Amino acid sequence: LEPVPGIVARITLVTPRGESVYYTPSTGSGGRTSLAIPPMPDVENGSLVSYQVCLELDIDPAVCVYESYLIWGGP
């Protein structure tokens, strides 16, 4: 597989407090990008955060992954 530059991903986070959507910068020549999600101080320990990452491409079906994690060990 070859790296693909210029791809943007949409990240949707769902917490007990609501939904937030973020977009990554476009992938670079190596096919990589990253995004730092801001802290969520209003989400309590033990809360489940679900997220979906979809590539912003004009194809059907969309290329997405779904996962979740627990908030644990915060202040």
Side-chain angles (χ1 to χ4, degrees), residues 1-60:
L1 297 174
E2 294 293 319
V4 180
I7 304 295
V8 172
R10 181 182 70 248
I11 301 169
T12 305
L13 291 178
V14 180
T15 71
R17 303 279 189 205
E19 183 176 290
S20 300
V21 177
Y22 303 93
Y23 291 88
T24 65
S26 297
T27 54
S29 61
R32 294 179 181 245
T33 188
S34 63
L35 175 75
I37 302 294
M40 297 178 279
D42 59 334
V43 179
E44 297 177 7
N45 276 342
S47 296
L48 183 67
V49 175
S50 300
Y51 64 94
Q52 174 188 44
V53 180
C54 295
L55 299 181
E56 294 285 286
L57 302 171
D58 283 333
I59 60 172
D60 189 33

